Amino acid sequence: MEEARKYAPAARNYTASRLASLIGPRISELCLLRIGDVRWDLGRFGKVLLKGKGKGSQGRGKKERLVPLINGSRDLLEWWVTGPRWEFDDKVNDPLAPLFPSERRYGDGSGRAVTDDALRTGLSEAVARHLPHQAGQLTPHVLRHFAASDLYRNGMDVVAIQEILGHEWLNTTMIYVHVEKSHVEDAWIRAGQRATARFGGTRR
């Protein structure tokens, strides 16, 4: 990022994309985030309030969910808020200020919220430069799939992942969870280890 022509937007795009890969927010949810949506004192890790745009002129269908800042996401957001976020404006203590601002500003000098086009373009340009073999394939939605798979590989159950991703149906979450071909065998070994630990015996 230090070599980027514009450091602040590059850092913003990195943080938003990295957050998507850690806990799976939708790109629309990233654009709607405000400083006050990060609840540092909730739970063991802190939580972030993700909000959907909803459907229809009255915003019907709008859903909100609190997602724990797990999987390194708290460290990421602490770095962002105490560091690069200041490059945009000094509103980092204003709960209504955008967590991910645009370079465009309001009349008072504060930044507007970033648009999904800006985040998509930023990720696309970074991929083309650093991961050319993934150009055109690595998108914000793919990062959401990666988050689901990564959490599952690290032992999180599918129901918890469903809650984190904000899916209404469990079968939707299952589409997001891409597992290694050995996952059945691995699950069998883990189950045996749990049974052994529970009964204090040795597995034969």
Side-chain angles (χ1 to χ4, degrees), residues 93-146:
N93 294 315
D94 180 354
L96 297 180
L99 182 63
F100 298 118
S102 167
E103 292 179 272
R104 298 178 61 190
R105 298 182 180 274
Y106 290 107
D108 64 357
S110 60
R112 300 171 182 264
V114 70
T115 64
D116 59 355
D117 284 342
L119 292 182
R120 290 182 192 278
T121 299
L123 177 60
S124 178
E125 291 176 348
V127 169
R129 181 173 182 179
H130 301 289
L131 298 168
H133 61 288
Q134 293 287 338
Q137 301 178 48
L138 187 54
T139 65
H141 193 66
V142 169
L143 293 178
R144 188 164 149 83
H145 278 251
F146 174 84

Side-chain angles (χ1 to χ4, degrees), residues 191-204:
Q193 291 170 340
R194 287 194 297 270
T196 299
R198 179 181 301 173
F199 296 109
T202 56
R203 188 166 180 260
R204 300 186 181 191

Side-chain angles (χ1 to χ4, degrees), residues 26 28-30 32 49-55 59-65:
R26 300 176 177 89
S28 59
E29 294 170 336
L30 291 167
L32 290 173
L49 179 64
L50 297 175
K51 296 167 284 190
K53 288 183 177 180
K55 299 178 181 179
R60 288 187 295 271
K62 180 177 179 180
K63 294 182 178 180
E64 298 182 349
R65 67 187 185 283

